[in-house]
RNA sequence: GGCCGAGUGGCGGAAUUGGUAUACGCGUUCGACUUAAAAUCGAAUGGAAUCUUCCAUACGGGUUCAAGUCCCGUCUCGGCUACCA
């Protein structure tokens, strides 16, 4: 008998799959009526950033989940689309280029080639004819096209905004390049700098993005995070009159019921009205405070939660009480949320209370705690009855919210308002290695979108990848690219004129490139459109999407684009992903995160080359634990899985003819089919492997029928495809997924469990038909000596659960 | 501080709807084969008592004939979020 040699058989089958293009998806049979179409499944992992380090074990877990499902559905005769792609724009390639001078284009190509080679060694069932790469001009041409569609509808716009800025490197920094308030490269403390930036107006879709979360088959964890991120809150917008100035200050509050307790107003330092509210006496102090706050890094603001602020010198009038309310400026009020101004109710809001204490401002109770309330905090923010609130006294706070808003509305100074925590999506990146924004400007700063037929705007190669001193990316150094002539419509006359324009040097956030890639998979070589209309309606939306990251960002952006393109009539669905599987991380054997610096990284290719092979690696990563939980790598357990695969091999290649089928062998076979099938449907990959292990253990004891071996090989194929193919070849079988039959699952005898007071006292073998006869069952149970011992004083009650084959006697 | 998870043998974990807790794997121990080792095969393996019980699913209560599972409270760990009015 030959020994199980993964190196040899894996190479053999990988060659065959390569040659036969085994995993090429069938083109959609879109001409057939819906009910005659082959059922389809579109599966994908979150495509990786191909780093120079190659695949890690986390990738393998993620990709193997997709692979198990893809192969499982293929064996079930479904039409499966399982493509692959690379998310290649981003900082690592750019930094590498700055350091080494090797262009990101060429470094990316090298890394992709390495990734592809490694993926093939894992035996993934990928349709290689659909490989995509976001930095390929044929791909980002269509990313730019997507941008232009959003631009046309007014959903891509420019606005002044603050950006992290390193004064030493003279460059803009992305959030992830700011470490504890300092530049990651030179360690200088960063500042905020006001710059004109591009945004996508995701807030237009806030309501729908929130409402549709309910309908998604996604993990609750992700759904909750998205709800919190969108952060819808209902409240009121109220205008406060500034005393003697004739201006109004708009405020957002979720507690309009507490308006009689509002004793002062607070404005964010950036609030545009602040400069109008200051007096000669306060101007200097206020200006100083504003400058200081702007300089503060986020870290400082987090560390130092002590309230700070200054008085503007002006007063507003409380529309309820008619009393004067001093107007303050403080950084605990954020310009980006609500109106950037609040009415402070120190008696019933902790932050306002703290501020009032510090600056000695009046505190006025307007809610009476309900009797028996155990809440003894200084400021009560629960519900209760209103007091000190004019003619609203005695009203419940829950009811008062609406009543007070309509009362304010009657005076024209208030209305219901919904506010979101989510802001518009900032997409400008002052980086070289990203998708160029297809916009140009004339000398007056007017925007001109690049016409669709002139896309893509190609990234020019440059000598030096360092950003320049203007806060612009290295793209600004490509003079020939930067300035160009284009025929445009003159903004004033409407006539066609040729203008000398300057290109936008910001590139798009990488998340823009990944916001539509799932749709590109359906027609990756289409050079007439971003996605083919027929192909998209056959394949999309994605049925199962698997990943371990991007709970809010990517997974929210992709939903936003989907809704937008659905509104443009370009997609026939409003949610891009039906089922989302969010897999856990794999940690080092010591339970800590794997990292190069700790030297505890497990390289999946090493595991293969040690002699275990890809099948062991794949099967082990499915067996390691529930797919959605973090797990620690255990080298010893890898050996256990290898032993299991060896036993599978030995059953087939060292086989002695077994006896013919008996009831017991049939039952075992069909039970195993059912368990593995159900487990894969439920994504319980670890217990699916366990079920196969139990099957093999039994076959070792009882001897295996040929049908057992065929069944085993078919069930094993999604996990260990090379070995399974070798087994099936030897057995002369196809790989069609087996179906269990109920009739084989039943047995003529059953084990009856007898409990007394819920405790196990006896197990009795009974005939299945006797289970129907409760009297007989009770008699059999009472015949047991041990049952008699515990029921000497008689029996009070009998509970018989036929389904569980369980009898519980309650002793007197 | 807020929200969301999790806590079961020496270890990773199983238990689908409340119904036999500890499947499967690792480790450990013993045995077979071998000159020997490895590999392989077989057996045992929650704890205590010793032939049949008692105690065990983080801790304390509760509901139930029956709780790892449901309810209330406490503790520990992990993740996300962070002055969002």
């Amino acid at each position: 008998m030959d020994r199980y040699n993964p190196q040899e058989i894996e190479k053999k089958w990988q060659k065959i799959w390569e040659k036969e293009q085994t995993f090429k998806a069938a083109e959609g049979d879109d001409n057939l009526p819906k009910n005659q179409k082959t059922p389809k499944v579109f599966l994908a992992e979150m495509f990786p950033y191909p780093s120079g380090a190659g695949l890690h074990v986390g990738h393998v877990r993620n990709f193997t989940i997709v692979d198990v499902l893809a192969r499982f559905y293929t064996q079930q005769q479904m039409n499966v689309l399982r493509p692959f792609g690379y998310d290649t724009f981003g900082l690592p390639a750019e930094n590498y280029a700055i350091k080494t001078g090797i262009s990101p284009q060429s470094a990316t190509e090298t890394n992709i080639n390495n990734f592809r080679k490694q993926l093939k060694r894992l035996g993934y069932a990928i349709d290689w004819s659909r490989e995509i790469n976001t930095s390929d001009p044929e791909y980002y041409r269509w990313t730019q096209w997507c941008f232009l569609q959003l631009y046309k509808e007014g959903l891509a716009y420019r606005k002044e905004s603050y950006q992290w800025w390193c004064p030493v490197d003279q460059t803009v920094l992305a959030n992830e390049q700011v470490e504890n308030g300092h530049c990651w490269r030179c360690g200088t403390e960063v500042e905020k700098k006001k710059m004109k930036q591009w945004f996508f107006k995701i807030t237009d879709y806030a309501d729908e993005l929130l409402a549709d979360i309910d309908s998604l088959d996604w993990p609750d964890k992700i759904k909750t995070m998205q709800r919190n991120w969108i952060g819808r809150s209902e409240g009121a917008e109220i205008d406060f009159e500034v005393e003697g100035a004739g201006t109004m200050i708009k405020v957002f509050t979720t507690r309009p019921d507490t308006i009689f307790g509002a004793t002062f107003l607070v404005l964010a330092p950036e609030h545009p009205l602040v400069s109008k509210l200051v007096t000669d006496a306060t101007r200097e102090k206020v200006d100083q405070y504003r400058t200081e706050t702007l300089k503060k890094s986020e870290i400082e603001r987090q560390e130092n939660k002590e309230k700070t602020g200054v008085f503007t010198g002006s007063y507003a009038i409380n529309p309820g009480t008619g009393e004067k309310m001093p107007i303050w400026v403080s950084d605990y009020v954020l310009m980006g949320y609500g109106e950037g101004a609040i009415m402070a109710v120190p008696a019933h809001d902790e932050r306002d209370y703290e501020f009032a204490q510090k600056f000695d401002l009046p505190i006025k109770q307007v809610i009476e705690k309900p009797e028996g309330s155990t809440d003894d905090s200084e400021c009560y923010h629960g519900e209760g009855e209103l007091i000190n609130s004019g003619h609203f006294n005695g009203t419940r706070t829950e009811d008062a919210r609406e009543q007070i808003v309509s009362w304010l509305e009657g005076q024209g100074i208030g209305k219901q308002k919904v506010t979101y925590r989510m802001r518009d999506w900032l997409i400008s990146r002052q980086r070289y290695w990203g998708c160029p924004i297809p916009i140009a400007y004339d000398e007056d700063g007017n925007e001109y979108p690049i016409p669709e037929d002139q896309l893509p705007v190609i990234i020019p190669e440059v000598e030096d990848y360092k950003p320049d001193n203007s806060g612009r990316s290295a793209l600004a150094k490509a003079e020939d690219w930067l300035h160009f002539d284009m025929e445009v419509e003159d903004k004033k006359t409407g006539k066609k004129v040729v203008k000398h324009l300057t290109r936008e040097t910001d590139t798009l956030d990488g998340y823009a490139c990944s916001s539509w890639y799932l749709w590109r998979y359906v027609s990756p070589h289409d050079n007439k459109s971003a996605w083919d209309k027929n192909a998209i309606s056959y394949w999309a939306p994605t049925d199962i999407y698997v990943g371990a990251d991007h709970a809010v960002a990517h997974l929210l952006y992709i939903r936003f684009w989907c809704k937008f393109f659905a509104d443009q009539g370009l997609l026939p669905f409003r949610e891009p992903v039906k089922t989302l599987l969010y897999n856990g991380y794999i940690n080092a054997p010591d339970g800590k995160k794997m990292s190069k610096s700790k030297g505890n990284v497990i390289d999946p290719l090493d595991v293969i080359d040690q002699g275990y092979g890809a099948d062991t690696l794949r099967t082990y990563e499915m067996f390691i634990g529930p797919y959605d939980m973090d797990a620690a790598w255990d080298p010893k357990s890898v050996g256990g899985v290898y032993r299991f695969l060896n036993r599978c091999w030995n059953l087939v290649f060292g086989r002695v003819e077994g006896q013919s089928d008996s009831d017991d062998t049939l039952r075992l076979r069909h039970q195993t089919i059912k368990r593995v099938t159900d487990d894969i449907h439920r994504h319980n990959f670890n217990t699916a492997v366990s079920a196969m292990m139990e099957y093999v253990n039994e076959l070792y004891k009882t001897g295996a029928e040929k049908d057992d071996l065929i069944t085993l090989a078919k069930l094993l194929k999604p996990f260990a495809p090379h070995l399974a193919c070798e087994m099936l070849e030897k057995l002369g079988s196809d790989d069609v997924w087996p179906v269990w039959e109920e009739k084989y699952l039943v047995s003529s005898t059953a084990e009856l469990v007898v409990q007394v007071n819920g405790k196990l006292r006896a197990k009795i073998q009974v005939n299945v038909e006797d289970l129907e006869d409760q009297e007989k069952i009770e008699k059999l149970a009472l015949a047991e000596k041990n049952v008699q011992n515990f029921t000497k004083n008689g029996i009070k009650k009998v509970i018989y659960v036929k389904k569980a084959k369980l009898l519980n006697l309650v002793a007197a």
Side-chain angles (χ1 to χ4, degrees), chain A residues 364-381:
Chain A
K364 187 180 158 198
Q365 308 285 336
V366 288
I367 304 172
E368 191 157 63
K369 276 185 227 176
E371 265 180 59
S373 168
T374 52
D375 187 339
D376 55 358
S377 51
E378 301 277 352
C379 52
Y380 173 73
H381 50 258

Side-chain angles (χ1 to χ4, degrees), chain A residues 500-760:
Chain A
H500 193 61
L501 302 177
T502 304
R503 292 190 194 273
E504 172 61 81
T505 56
D506 284 358
T507 52
L508 283 172
D509 178 5
Y511 280 124
C513 307
S514 57
S515 288
W516 68 281
Y517 80 106
L518 290 172
W519 310 321
R520 186 63 181 170
Y521 278 144
V522 308
S523 55
H525 309 296
D526 188 347
N527 56 14
K528 300 234 159 42
S529 57
W531 51 83
D532 178 79
K533 228 180 149 183
N534 288 327
I536 203 93
S537 62
Y538 176 73
W539 288 114
T542 306
D543 294 285
I544 302 176
Y545 192 38
V546 187
D549 204 353
H550 313 299
V552 277
H554 166 62
L555 288 170
L556 195 63
Y557 298 149
I558 199 167
R559 297 182 58 222
F560 159 46
W561 280 35
C562 182
K563 291 173 191 306
F564 167 74
F565 284 112
D567 281 341
Q568 303 307 302
L570 295 166
L571 289 178
F573 47 87
R574 300 194 73 83
E575 283 291 343
V577 172
K578 282 188 190 160
T579 299
L580 175 73
L581 305 184
Y582 206 68
N583 63 282
Y585 291 111
I586 292 185
N587 295 324
D590 57 9
K592 296 194 179 103
K593 287 241 169 323
M594 285 189 195
S595 80
K596 250 193 208 157
S597 58
K598 280 188 228 139
N600 58 2
V601 177
I602 306 277
D603 183 338
L605 272 295
D606 283 351
V607 178
I608 295 178
D609 291 334
Q610 268 165 39
Y612 284 126
D615 283 337
T616 294
L617 175 64
R618 295 166 53 115
T619 309
Y620 170 65
E621 292 212 24
M622 293 299 95
F623 183 63
I624 195 168
Y627 81 93
D628 56 348
M629 304 275 271
D630 290 354
W633 188 268
D634 178 7
K636 290 273 179 55
S637 290
V638 179
V641 171
Y642 180 73
R643 273 194 281 280
F644 160 63
L645 294 184
N646 241 303
R647 281 158 76 84
C648 295
W649 168 277
N650 290 340
L651 276 176
V652 174
F653 290 89
R655 176 170 163 253
V656 187
E657 291 288 331
Q659 311 98 322
S660 52
D661 282 342
S662 69
D663 284 358
D664 286 342
T665 59
L666 278 169
R667 190 171 342 106
L668 174 67
R669 187 183 310 154
H670 284 259
Q671 260 170 6
T672 305
I673 296 170
K674 180 170 159 53
R675 283 175 69 187
V676 175
T677 309
D678 288 351
D679 278 346
I680 294 177
H681 275 301
R682 283 192 299 255
H683 314 125
N684 294 337
F685 307 109
N686 55 330
T687 51
V689 175
S690 296
M692 290 187 278
M693 286 173 167
E694 285 180 60
Y695 188 34
V696 168
N697 290 346
E698 280 303 311
L699 294 181
Y700 258 69
K701 284 180 197 153
T702 61
E705 251 328 282
K706 189 173 180 188
D707 276 350
D708 283 314
L709 301 178
I710 290 173
T711 303
L712 175 65
K714 288 175 171 182
L715 297 179
L716 193 61
K717 196 179 174 193
F719 299 86
H722 311 86
L723 170 61
C725 282
E726 192 70 19
M727 287 162 67
L728 288 167
E729 189 185 54
K730 164 89 177 172
L731 295 162
S733 167
D734 61 48
D735 69 350
V736 176
W737 194 258
V739 180
W740 77 88
E741 288 182 55
E742 285 292 338
K743 67 177 179 193
Y744 294 126
L745 298 180
V746 294
S747 160
S748 59
T749 60
E751 189 180 63
L752 178 78
V753 171
V754 185
Q755 298 179 331
V756 177
N757 294 339
K759 291 202 169 173
L760 177 68

Side-chain angles (χ1 to χ4, degrees), chain A residues 177 279 718 766:
Chain A
Q177 294 174 307
T279 62
V766 297

